[in-house]
Amino acid sequence: MTKIIFLDAAGTLFDVRGSVGEVYGKLASNWGITVSNEELNAAFSQSFATASPMAFPGIEAAKIPQLEFEWWLTVSAKAFQIAGVFHQFSDFPNFFAELYAHFATAEPWFVYPDVFPALNRWQQQGIELAVVSNFDSRLYPVLKALNLAEYFTSVTISTEVGAAKPDYKIFTAALQKHNYIAEDVLHIGDSFKADYCGAKNSGLKAIWLNRHQEILDLEKLNFPKVEEFASLDLI
């Protein structure tokens, strides 16, 4: 029986309003930059996909926030470069500082409508809840701003662990915060590779929350796949 549920954060509990390209484009317009939201979103997706995992093994905790900032600075700068407008910024570091702070607030995010009903139901069933995410340390204020923080007894992020999903180390680190064995844990997330495969390879039960109706060449495999939390009956 499932005693604790590990949940991914962005793309599972909440997501960006509209698109990253829209948010980036809106803030860039305040700096006199005109760029297509669609082009910028595609550029961001390309930049993000080619970035190294956001994890800093062996780094002392005090240095992690700056490394997170620099990681995202590189990803964002490359996105604007791909979109062909990076050279138009008079002071990109200052622009990025505003952008980075913006994503630590509730404004650019929305909570999926199936989330609060599911979290409340699981709590009523006595299931403990925790977050396991490849997010950075801004996740703590974001969860609080979105009124999600109170549901979780622990939050484990890749930058603090030094390993990003699908690496088993992040799941092990999360499990060590609780008095359970792997068989007691169900992990739910929107990435087939990072969440489903990562959790299964770490000995956890797993469900792929296919938020975006992604189609894989693995359809014949026997694995749980759902489109919303409301489909889950865990007890």
Side-chain angles (χ1 to χ4, degrees), residues 194-205:
D195 292 303
Y196 181 78
C197 295
K200 292 290 285 185
N201 291 338
S202 303
L204 279 59
K205 293 176 289 187

Side-chain angles (χ1 to χ4, degrees), residues 87-208:
H87 66 283
Q88 297 180 23
F89 284 95
S90 58
D91 189 343
F92 188 82
N94 272 337
F95 161 74
F96 177 72
E98 292 182 7
L99 182 69
Y100 193 76
H102 183 67
F103 277 93
T105 71
E107 188 173 345
W109 306 105
F110 73 94
V111 179
Y112 283 103
D114 55 9
V115 167
F116 285 115
L119 296 181
N120 286 321
R121 176 162 53 90
W122 291 334
Q123 277 196 336
Q124 292 168 3
Q125 293 172 337
I127 298 175
E128 194 171 348
L129 303 171
V131 171
V132 181
S133 172
N134 287 350
F135 213 96
D136 55 71
S137 56
R138 290 175 297 172
L139 181 57
Y140 298 105
V142 168
L143 288 174
K144 185 174 182 180
L146 296 176
N147 298 314
L148 289 167
E150 64 189 57
Y151 287 94
F152 303 106
T153 55
S154 76
V155 175
T156 303
I157 56 177
S158 60
T159 55
E160 293 176 351
V161 173
K165 295 179 294 185
D167 194 318
Y168 76 92
K169 296 184 186 70
I170 189 171
F171 294 102
T172 299
L175 188 57
Q176 289 173 345
K177 298 178 181 180
H178 302 272
N179 189 29
Y180 298 111
I181 59 175
E183 289 77 10
D184 296 330
V185 185
L186 170 67
H187 178 72
I188 302 173
D190 69 303
S191 169
F192 180 76
K193 179 180 179 181
D195 292 303
Y196 181 78
C197 295
K200 292 290 285 185
N201 291 338
S202 303
L204 279 59
K205 293 176 289 187
I207 288 178
W208 176 34

Side-chain angles (χ1 to χ4, degrees), residues 62-79:
K63 295 181 178 179
I64 290 175
Q66 181 60 32
L67 292 175
E68 293 172 338
F69 181 90
E70 292 172 359
W71 189 95
W72 278 110
L73 173 62
T74 299
V75 170
S76 298
K78 184 176 179 180

